[in-house]
Amino acid sequence: WRGSTPFVQRAMMVGVFQVATLDQFKEMYAYYLSQKKNSIPNVFCASMTSGLLYSLATMPLEASKNRMAFQKICPDTWKLPYTGTMQTIKKVASEEGFLALYNGFLPYYIRCGGHTVSMFILVQMLRDFYKDNMM
């Protein structure tokens, strides 16, 4: 179960950032880029931006989750080096620098952004289908 707590914490933050920012970015892109709101290009742009924000916000939690899940017991002390999410983040930031929490950010963003785009475009297509054919 090591790493499950940061996994849940990260999952909660993903939901918060994805859902909370998508509609605001759709409005912003519709206004500033003259995109038709809820069009596929509008949803794509908003999803990529939402995915970027959620990646920036959750990458330290992802790093913490991975370090806690794969940690080994210290042979000198017989203790695990990481005990909790915040302790892991603080320890990594102080020993390796804050940016160490963002190692591997580009592949993480590609994964998160891709997931966010595909999810929200599919949701929009289902909404459009329902609106056009069921109402």
Side-chain angles (χ1 to χ4, degrees), residues 55-116:
S55 298
L56 287 168
T58 62
M59 185 70 193
L61 297 171
E62 177 77 7
S64 174
K65 172 188 73 90
N66 290 336
R67 286 180 184 243
M68 289 178 71
F70 296 107
Q71 65 184 326
K72 304 281 188 237
I73 294 174
C74 178
D76 298 333
T77 63
W78 289 92
K79 293 182 180 181
L80 294 171
Y82 306 117
T83 58
T85 305
M86 292 310 294
Q87 184 265 348
T88 303
I89 290 171
K90 287 179 190 175
K91 186 171 184 174
V92 170
S94 67
E95 292 177 1
E96 301 173 37
F98 180 74
L99 292 179
L101 295 167
Y102 287 91
N103 286 344
F105 178 77
L106 185 60
Y108 182 67
Y109 172 59
I110 291 169
R111 184 186 90 190
C112 298
H115 168 262
T116 304

Side-chain angles (χ1 to χ4, degrees), residues 7-18:
F7 178 79
V8 171
Q9 293 168 335
R10 180 196 157 277
M12 289 187 304
M13 294 302 289
V14 166
V16 166
F17 278 92
Q18 272 185 334

